[in-house]
Structures are given as structure tokens and as C-alpha cells.
Amino acid sequence: MTTHPRRVGHVLERAPNHLGQFLHGNQQARRGGYYNQQGPGYANLIVTNATWGETINPLADALAKDGKRYWVEVAVCPLSALELPNDARQRAALREFSDWDDVKDTRALRLIAANPYAPEALEQFEALIMALKLRKDRLKYAALDDDTALAFSEIVRFVGIDQVTPREILTPASPGSSVELSKLIGESTEANELCIVLEEIEEAGGVAKRLLAAGQRVIRMPIFGRTKHNPDVLKLSDAPNFILVNDPYALSVAVQGLKRLAADLTEIVWVGNSALLQAMVKRDAPESTWLEVPDLRHDVILERVSKF
């Protein structure tokens, strides 16, 4: 597990060999433990990214450490903790995979990261990694957005499955669009190609369902679950409040928490780069505002928030 924060830090900060966050330990800082001095012009950025157990979230840590340079106060408020499925679920997933695809098969395999946390889950699923290594010459890839594709590429190379680059991973032009991604996969599929959709245990399965409806061969492989945290942890401030979200679960929980706190949603600005999340904000919190960022690098996020 000690390699996990190091490798993910490379991805999220786009900085090879960036070990700054690793020098400070591998535990999530306690809430309130980061710089917390408001001043004129400060913005309050609430980071909702999930964590793996008690390990640090590299993006949240980078934002918190660099926030004061941009006059942004950062509150790290993970709304869930992620975990792999139990052993029985893992064995069941591997059995289904072997039933659908023999090691000696010659048909293409499409590995799809249908969730921002799917690449990180794959990194920890050692038995699945071994099964994919035996089929590496047949693998193709797809992901919901460019940031997930970057993480996917880094992890696939890091664990020794393949040397795929982010540009070789199919992604939709509209980040987070399962409709567009499913269409792209359908247009580029080979005969009898098998799609392995890496998703969350309780996920609705938008990508998988659309592929199945189009007659594609599909395995839905839920490779991680999560434990919900109390949404009351959201730290609102008298300064302008920005909430960073990177998956539908965090957004739904955050909206629930804001309503429980009787927060004025007209004063809330959501930060993200997913068309799906933007549509969810418009539906579930129409009074609030959406701030689009081109990618999820910490400096890009802080720059956009500080200049909003």
C-alpha cells in the first residue's frame, strides 16, 4: 500500500517523481489540521474526494498544501472510504471472467474504467492483474474522461499489464458521458469483442447497460465498494464556498448534507470537469453554480477558484 499514494500522486499532479506529499506520511491529515486562516479575498474550497481506508488522497493533500498561495482555504472532507470487495466477490468476478474468456482465446478484450476510482481499485486487485497479464496482447482500453484515462494508463503500466499511453485509451469528448463513451466503443469494436466494465459495486451501470442494449458482449465487474461518511462534515464558511466533486456519489451525498445544514444553495459553487456531474447539479441543486475546470490538476483547480 505504500506505493499507492506515491503512484497516484504522480498522476494527479502530472509531475513524475513528485514525492512531496509522501514525505509527510501516508495518513490523511486530521480535519482542521491544514492551513485555516481566512483573510480578505479568501475562498473556501471543500474537497470531497474519497479515500482508500485511512490513506491520504493525493489531490486533496496537494490542494491543502498549496491553497494559501492562491488565497484559497482548503477543507478536506472526504465523503466516503473505498474498499475492495470481499474475497468471495473477488473469486466470483474472476470465475465469471474465465467462463467468458479463455486465456488462449484470440478475440479482443476491452477494459473500461467506468468510474474515476476504477483504476485505483484495479491496482489493488492482484488476482485480476495476473489474469489480465496473461491476455495483454488482446487488450484495448476505454475510460470516462481524460483524467481517468491518465490514471488508468499510469496504473496499467505501473503494475506491468501493458505499456498503453493515455492517447491510446478511448474517451468521450464530453467528460463523464456514458452515452457518448458507449457509442464510441460500439463504433470501434471488433467482431465478438468482450468488454470488461470496471465499476463500483452499487453503481447503476450506465456504460454496461448501453453496451448490452447494443448487443455487445459485456462483463460487469464491480471491483470496489465504499462506506459513506456523514455529510455533516462539510465545512461551510462565510467566504465564498466551492465544493470539488469528481463522482456522482460524492455529489449526491454533498447535496444531501447541504440541505440538512439548511445551506443557501445560491452561495454554493460546484467545481469539476464532468458533463454528467454538471447535469446532476442542474437537476439536484439548480440554485447553485457550476465552475468547469479543464482537468483535475491541483494548480488548475486553485487558479480557477481564486479567479472566479
Side-chain angles (χ1 to χ4, degrees), residues 103-123:
V103 173
K104 296 180 181 180
D105 204 329
T106 58
R107 292 173 291 185
L109 288 171
R110 174 88 66 177
L111 201 60
I112 304 169
N115 185 290
Y117 297 111
E120 298 175 32
L122 173 62
E123 182 183 10

Side-chain angles (χ1 to χ4, degrees), residues 50-66:
T51 60
W52 286 93
E54 295 298 320
T55 60
I56 194 169
N57 180 280
L59 176 58
D61 190 52
L63 288 166
K65 288 174 180 174
D66 223 17

Side-chain angles (χ1 to χ4, degrees), residues 144-159:
L144 268 183
D145 55 54
D146 289 342
D147 288 289
T148 304
L150 179 66
F152 207 11
S153 168
E154 179 76 7
I155 287 168
V156 165
R157 288 185 283 116
F158 181 79
V159 301

Side-chain angles (χ1 to χ4, degrees), residues 9-16 146-147 150 295-297:
H10 293 174
V11 175
L12 292 175
E13 296 203 40
R14 306 278 178 90
D146 289 342
D147 288 289
L150 179 66
D295 59 61
L296 296 178
R297 286 179 295 167

Side-chain angles (χ1 to χ4, degrees), residues 55-98:
T55 60
I56 194 169
N57 180 280
L59 176 58
D61 190 52
L63 288 166
K65 288 174 180 174
D66 223 17
K68 60 184 179 180
R69 291 204 305 115
Y70 294 83
W71 290 87
V72 176
E73 179 188 354
V74 177
V76 179
C77 303
L79 294 179
S80 61
L82 308 176
E83 59 187 3
L84 288 180
N86 58 38
D87 290 344
R89 281 181 176 269
Q90 291 185 40
R91 289 194 298 270
L94 292 170
R95 280 197 303 271
E96 184 178 17
F97 186 17
S98 62

